[in-house]
């Protein structure tokens, strides 16, 4: 299963293999060239929020090491790079003045990729909201959706002529539920009403962003990246099966529903409707604008059981035990079949366009050995098993066009700080030395079998 040539033979010749990163997680330079703070700068520097009070001030110093890192991507043998753009670099206050130096950086990034034959998949929002927008309520304010639309216009006017694809948002589940209900991510809110407002205004911002992208750069394929949950009932009981359906509505339907059906799940509205913000006329039509592609980020399944004692706290479920004790260093269950179950379920429920796996990977914290190598065989096995599932999906007719490994390099992992390492490339945070891991060398051998990866999204 781990022989890269044998695995490669199961994918079509124009399949895209890429690597992924995100701005706040790698760039550093948080106070340079006109960038202003994001909500993650503030959150990271609050005691008790992030492991070890780690922050993104330096991260992987990608801002200063851009050319060397783009050379590294080229050396990885991939044909595409998925990255995100930092809103606080482009419009530092969220509204108002545009920062040309911020746009200059992404000009260099995009041109550097093109010069190296690497296709560019940009994400407009990967959680680093300009801190100044919190004065109006951040994502709980409708005005933020329109601020995002203007930001999308500015970015596309500068970069749209050279991008191969663009996504509006990365994982709105995290920037909505994890950030406004569970309090684990910035801004650290724990309030259902706030979360529901953030949900609707994030969905609205997505739709307004699609409008802006199509207006400025109509030839650039536009999509949305969702970390849909593979929800599995803890047992075959009717109660647990019903709990799994409620969990699906809450964790997946809250985003897939309005985007692909122009409606919120009825069960969600029945349970929480009195706390929802006003859905104004035309909102759902804006949110549901047709997409060229969508991205799925998958790491681990969600197993749930019914918990009637929590009725009124939709979806009133509790975690069910994993199927095995096989877990990554971050504690996530390894279950490759969950990826197949999820994709098949989503295509049954929704009229979806073609897709990409935009993130998939595993946290293992092996360091550099005395021989200068990083032996991370468990990560290699994780990739091989999940890519085998991807090949199965393609064989079954799913329009899966590409795969982006998370992540190119070890980086700032949000509330986990620098504690967890997902990279194909090891980063020594003291020296910023990059060392390609065993998994990275294996992925390079696989990706190098697809030097063109020239399928155009939405074609």
């Amino acid at each position: 299963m781990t022989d890269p040539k044998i695995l490669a033979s199961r994918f079509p010749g124009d399949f895209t293999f890429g690597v992924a990163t995100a701005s706040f997680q790698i760039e550093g330079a948080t106070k340079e060239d006109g960038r202003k703070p994001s909500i993650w700068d503030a959150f990271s520097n609050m005691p008790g929020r992030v492991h070890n009070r780690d922050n993104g001030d330096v991260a992987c110093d990608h801002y200063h090491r851009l050319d060397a890192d783009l050379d590294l991507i080229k050396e990885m043998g991939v044909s595409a790079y998925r990255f995100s753009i930092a809103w606080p670099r482009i419009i530092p206050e969220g509204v108002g003045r545009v920062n040309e130096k911020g746009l200059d950086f992404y000009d260099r990034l995009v041109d550097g990729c093109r010069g190296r034959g690497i296709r560019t998949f940009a994400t407009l929002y990967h959680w680093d909201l300009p801190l100044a927008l919190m004065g109006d309520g951040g994502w709980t304010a409708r005005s933020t959706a329109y601020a995002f639309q203007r930001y999308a216009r500015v970015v596309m006017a500068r970069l749209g002529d050279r991008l191969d694809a663009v996504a509006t948002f990365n994982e709105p589940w995290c920037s909505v539920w994890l950030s406004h209900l569970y309090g684990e991510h910035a801004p650290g809110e724990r309030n259902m009403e706030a979360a529901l407002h953030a949900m609707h205004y994030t969905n609205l911002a997505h739709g307004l962003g699609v409008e802006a992208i199509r207006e400025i750069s109509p030839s650039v394929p536009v999509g949305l990246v969702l970390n849909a949950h593979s929800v599995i009932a803890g047992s075959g009981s009717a109660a647990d099966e019903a709990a799994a359906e409620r969990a699906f509505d809450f964790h997946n339907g809250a985003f897939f529903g309005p985007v692909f059906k122009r409606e919120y799940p009825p069960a969600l509205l029945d349970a929480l409707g009195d706390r929802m913000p006003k859905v104004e006329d035309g909102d759902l039509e804006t949110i549901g604008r047709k997409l060229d592609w969508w991205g799925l980020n998958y790491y681990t399944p969600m197993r749930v059981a019914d918990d009637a004692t929590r009725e009124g706290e939709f979806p009133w479920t509790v975690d069910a035990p994993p199927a095995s004790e096989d877990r990554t260093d971050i504690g996530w269950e390894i279950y490759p079949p969950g990826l197949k179950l999820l994709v098949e379920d989503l295509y049954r429920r929704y009229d979806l366009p073609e897709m990409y796996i935009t993130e998939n990977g595993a946290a293992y914290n092996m360091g550099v050995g005395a021989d200068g190598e990083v032996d991370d065989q468990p990560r290699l096995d994780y990739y091989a098993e999940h890519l085998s599932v991807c090949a199965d999906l393609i064989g079954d007719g799913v329009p899966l066009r590409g795969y982006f490994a998370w992540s190119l390099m070890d980086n700032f992992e949000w509330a986990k700080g620098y504690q967890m390492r997902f990279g194909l490339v090891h980063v020594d945070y003291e020296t910023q030395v990059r060392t390609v891991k065993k998994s990275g060398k294996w992925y390079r051998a696989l990706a190098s079998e697809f030097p063109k990866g020239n399928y155009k999204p939405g074609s």
Side-chain angles (χ1 to χ4, degrees):
M1 182 183 291
T2 59
D3 186 315
K5 287 189 177 294
I6 294 175
L7 184 57
S9 70
R10 300 176 59 199
F11 289 88
D14 60 356
F15 194 79
T16 295
F17 280 97
V19 289
T21 67
S23 52
F24 191 79
Q25 295 180 266
I26 68 167
E27 286 180 0
T30 58
K31 300 176 179 66
E32 295 185 37
D33 290 339
R35 183 192 182 277
K36 291 287 185 73
S38 74
I39 56 174
W40 268 96
D41 293 288
F43 190 76
S44 298
N45 289 305
M46 294 173 65
R49 297 295 199 173
V50 173
H51 172 77
N52 199 39
R53 291 192 74 175
D54 292 340
N55 60 44
D57 288 356
V58 177
C60 302
D61 200 29
H62 176 68
Y63 191 80
H64 298 118
R65 299 168 184 267
L66 177 62
D67 285 331
D69 283 344
L70 294 183
D71 287 343
L72 176 62
I73 295 170
K74 175 69 173 177
E75 291 164 9
M76 292 298 291
V78 299
S79 59
Y81 177 39
R82 177 177 174 253
F83 62 95
S84 76
I85 295 169
W87 190 347
R89 288 201 194 281
I90 308 304
I91 306 176
E93 305 285 345
V95 294
R97 179 182 61 86
V98 174
N99 179 34
E100 292 297 323
K101 288 185 177 180
L103 287 167
D104 289 344
F105 172 73
Y106 294 106
D107 261 337
R108 295 196 301 273
L109 191 160
V110 173
D111 287 345
C113 286
R114 289 174 65 85
R116 292 166 174 82
I118 301 165
R119 296 164 65 228
T120 50
F121 284 61
T123 301
L124 295 178
Y125 187 77
H126 198 131
W127 310 347
D128 41 2
L129 184 75
L131 182 61
L133 290 179
M134 288 305 297
D136 292 325
W139 284 116
T140 69
R142 188 178 179 93
S143 57
T144 299
Y146 292 93
F148 176 81
Q149 184 180 42
R150 178 190 175 231
Y151 158 64
R153 284 197 182 103
V154 169
V155 170
M156 298 309 292
R158 183 67 168 265
L159 305 177
D161 61 327
R162 286 157 290 152
L163 293 177
D164 291 286
V166 64
T168 54
F169 282 78
N170 176 80
E171 296 186 355
W173 180 92
C174 291
S175 54
V176 171
W177 300 138
L178 205 57
S179 302
H180 291 84
L181 181 62
Y182 303 135
E184 296 179 26
H185 280 190
E189 182 65 79
R190 295 174 181 268
N191 182 282
M192 178 62 85
E193 189 171 349
L196 291 171
H197 280 67
M199 173 192 70
H200 182 59
Y201 297 142
T202 295
N203 286 333
L204 179 62
H206 157 73
L208 293 170
V210 172
E211 284 185 357
I213 293 162
R214 292 255 166 79
E215 172 192 340
I216 302 298
S217 304
S219 65
V220 178
V222 58
L224 171 66
V225 171
L226 297 155
N227 60 321
H229 289 66
S230 183
V231 183
I232 301 172
S235 77
S237 72
D240 282 357
E241 293 285 356
E245 189 63 22
R246 291 194 303 271
F248 184 97
D249 283 343
F250 185 75
H251 296 289
N252 297 334
F255 307 103
F256 280 83
V259 171
F260 296 110
K261 283 188 172 180
R262 297 186 176 181
E263 67 177 18
Y264 285 104
L268 183 70
L269 295 179
D270 288 346
L272 302 170
D274 61 333
R275 286 179 274 181
M276 281 280 290
K278 179 177 174 55
V279 178
E280 296 187 5
D281 290 346
D283 281 2
L284 290 170
E285 287 72 21
T286 297
I287 295 168
R289 292 190 181 279
K290 188 174 178 61
L291 298 178
D292 299 303
W293 62 277
W294 71 283
L296 171 64
N297 295 353
Y298 175 84
Y299 294 93
T300 188
M302 170 182 281
R303 298 182 186 275
V304 302
D306 180 63
D307 184 1
T309 67
R310 301 174 74 174
E311 191 163 348
E313 300 175 28
F314 194 86
W316 59 92
T317 61
V318 293
D319 292 341
S324 76
E325 294 304 313
D326 192 11
R327 300 186 180 212
T328 63
D329 284 352
I330 205 171
W332 296 348
E333 178 189 357
I334 301 171
Y335 189 63
L339 172 57
K340 191 170 193 293
L341 292 171
L342 173 60
V343 171
E344 291 171 343
D345 189 27
L346 290 169
Y347 273 96
R348 277 194 299 267
R349 291 174 184 259
Y350 304 103
D351 182 14
L352 300 175
E354 65 191 37
M355 69 173 293
Y356 289 76
I357 300 297
T358 36
E359 288 183 26
N360 182 232
Y364 288 104
N365 299 325
M366 298 82 173
V368 181
D371 59 356
E373 301 292 323
V374 181
D375 186 356
D376 60 338
Q377 184 68 41
R379 177 181 287 108
L380 191 162
D381 292 339
Y382 180 100
Y383 276 120
E385 290 166 1
H386 286 80
L387 279 162
S388 181
V389 171
C390 291
D392 290 341
L393 287 167
I394 293 169
D396 291 342
V398 173
L400 173 58
R401 307 304 188 194
Y403 177 98
F404 292 82
W406 184 269
S407 174
L408 167 65
M409 66 180 83
D410 298 333
N411 55 44
F412 178 85
E413 280 298 337
W414 308 110
K416 299 295 185 182
Y418 298 100
Q419 179 186 26
M420 293 294 160
R421 294 177 176 268
F422 279 83
L424 292 166
V425 177
H426 180 276
V427 176
D428 182 321
Y429 295 118
E430 295 297 320
T431 65
Q432 293 296 335
V433 168
R434 276 79 158 133
T435 303
V436 180
K437 303 176 185 179
K438 183 177 183 179
S439 63
K441 294 174 181 178
W442 176 87
Y443 192 70
R444 177 170 59 199
L446 174 66
S448 296
E449 296 288 316
F450 301 83
K452 294 182 179 180
N454 56 4
Y455 184 84
K456 182 179 176 61
S459 65

